[in-house]
Amino acid sequence: MSTPLDRKIAFITGGNRGIGFETARQLGALGILPVIGARSAEAGRDAVAQLREEGIEAESIVFDVTDDADHRRAFDFFQKKAGRLDILINNAGVYLEGEPGGAPRYLPSTVPDKVLRATFDANLFAPIAVTQALLPLLRLAPAGRIVNLSSILGSLTLHSDPASPIYDAKATAYDASKTALNAYTVHLAYELKGSTTKVNSAHPGWVQTAMGGSNAPMNVVDGAKTSVQLATLPADGPSGGFFHLGDPLPW
Ligand SMILES: NC(=O)c1ccc[n+]([C@@H]2O[C@H](COP(=O)([O-])OP(=O)(O)OC[C@H]3O[C@@H](n4cnc5c(N)ncnc54)[C@H](OP(=O)(O)O)[C@@H]3O)[C@@H](O)[C@H]2O)c1
C-alpha cells in the first residue's frame, strides 16, 4: 500500500545534470518533489545532495532510459512513494553526431546505421517506453503532465525553409529522432483527449550544457523554463503542442 504524498511528485530522466538538473531545481523550488533519474547512482546522489544544500528536498533513483528493468523499478518506486506520478519529464537525450553544440560530422548520405539506432534508442524509443511504463501512475494523478524534451531541430517546417535560422543545421539522426518524438506527442495527446493528463513537446532553446556547448546563447536557468511551464500547465492549458517559452513552434 502506498502512502499519499501531500505534494506533487515529478520524475526527471537524465536529471543529474544539464537542463534536467535545473528543471529538478526549479520544480523543487515550487514545492514539487523532484525525483532525479540518473544512470549513475553516485551522480544521482550528488545531484540530490546539491539540491538539499540549497534547501530543496529531492530524491534520486538509478535509471537508464533504455533499460526496461529500470522502468519497472521506477513504477514500483512511484507506486510505493505516492501511489501516482504527477509529472514525467522525458529529458534524457543524446547527440552523437558531433562535438557539443557543433556541426554534424555526417551527411544524410553517410550517417552510420549505428549512430541512427543509438540516437533513436535514447531519444525516441526510450521516452516512449518510459511513458508507457509510467502512464498508469500519471493517469492516477489529478492533473498528470508529460513533457517530451524535443528540439527546434525536430521541426520539418523550419528545416525545409531556406529562410529559417536552423536551415543549415542538419544533424540527420538527432533531428529525425526529435521529429519522431514530436509525432509521439501528437499521437499520445489524441489518446489522452478528454482526460486530465496532458502531453507536450518542449524546445528548451540552445542551452549551455554538455550537449549544447559553450557557444550556446542561453543559460540552464532559462533553458529549464519551458519544461517547468509545461510540467505545471493549468487544467485549461494545451495538450499535443510544441512550445518554447510559451510560444508555439511549427512542427
Ligand atoms: N542543450 C541544448 O541546447 C538543447 C537544445 C534542444 C534540446 N535539448 C534537449 O534537452 C534535453 C537535455 O539536454 P541537455 O543539454 O541538458 O543534455 P546533457 O547536458 O548532455 O545531459 C543529458 C542528460 O541525459 C542523460 N542521459 C543520456 N542518455 C541516457 C540514458 N540512456 N539513460 C539515462 N540518462 C541518459 C545524461 O546522463 P549521464 O550524466 O549519465 O550521461 C544527462 O543526465 C535532451 O533531450 C536534449 O536533446 C537540448
Side-chain angles (χ1 to χ4, degrees), residues 193-242:
K193 210 163 38 131
S195 80
T196 59
T197 313
K198 296 182 188 296
V199 55
N200 288 287
S201 279
H203 168 53
W206 182 14
V207 185
Q208 287 155 21
T209 63
M211 184 188 290
S214 53
N215 290 331
M218 280 174 77
N219 60 35
V220 278
V221 174
D222 288 335
K225 283 183 179 165
T226 302
S227 295
V228 173
Q229 281 174 359
L230 295 175
T232 55
L233 283 173
D236 61 355
S239 187
F242 183 22

Side-chain angles (χ1 to χ4, degrees), residues 14 16-17 19 39 64-65 91 150 174 178 205-207 209:
N16 53 293
R17 60 184 172 95
I19 296 167
R39 280 193 281 204
D64 183 325
V65 292
N91 170 83
S150 177
Y174 181 84
K178 297 297 190 182
W206 182 14
V207 185
T209 63

Side-chain angles (χ1 to χ4, degrees), residues 7-13 19-36 51 56-58 86-89 145 147 224-233:
R7 54 194 163 132
K8 286 188 185 171
I9 185 165
F11 184 40
I12 304 106
T13 67
I19 296 167
F21 178 63
E22 178 59 26
T23 303
R25 174 189 273 131
Q26 292 183 21
L27 290 174
L30 292 174
I32 295 164
L33 177 65
V35 178
I36 286 171
L51 291 182
I56 293 170
E57 183 53 26
D86 297 282
I87 295 164
L88 168 63
I89 313 233
R145 301 287 179 263
V147 183
K225 283 183 179 165
T226 302
S227 295
V228 173
Q229 281 174 359
L230 295 175
T232 55
L233 283 173

Side-chain angles (χ1 to χ4, degrees), residues 156-182:
L156 293 178
T157 304
L158 296 177
H159 267 304
S160 46
D161 176 2
S164 109
I166 65 150
Y167 186 66
D168 292 320
K170 292 211 166 17
T172 309
Y174 181 84
D175 299 357
S177 72
K178 297 297 190 182
T179 306
L181 183 63
N182 283 348

Side-chain angles (χ1 to χ4, degrees), residues 36-120:
I36 286 171
R39 280 193 281 204
S40 138
E42 194 185 354
R45 274 196 302 270
D46 288 351
V48 166
Q50 197 176 326
L51 291 182
R52 285 188 182 154
E53 259 175 44
E54 297 172 21
I56 293 170
E57 183 53 26
E59 297 198 23
S60 69
I61 58 173
V62 172
F63 195 81
D64 183 325
V65 292
T66 63
D67 185 335
D68 289 349
D70 282 355
H71 302 176
R72 286 192 292 277
R73 278 191 283 268
F75 180 94
D76 292 344
F77 173 89
F78 288 106
Q79 188 174 48
K80 199 161 164 216
K81 180 89 197 165
R84 63 172 201 279
L85 177 62
D86 297 282
I87 295 164
L88 168 63
I89 313 233
N90 282 313
N91 170 83
V94 296
Y95 173 62
L96 304 175
E97 290 156 275
E99 296 307 313
R105 59 174 72 99
Y106 312 109
L107 293 167
S109 55
T110 61
V111 60
D113 181 70
K114 216 167 101 180
V115 170
L116 277 163
R117 286 179 193 278
T119 303
F120 270 71

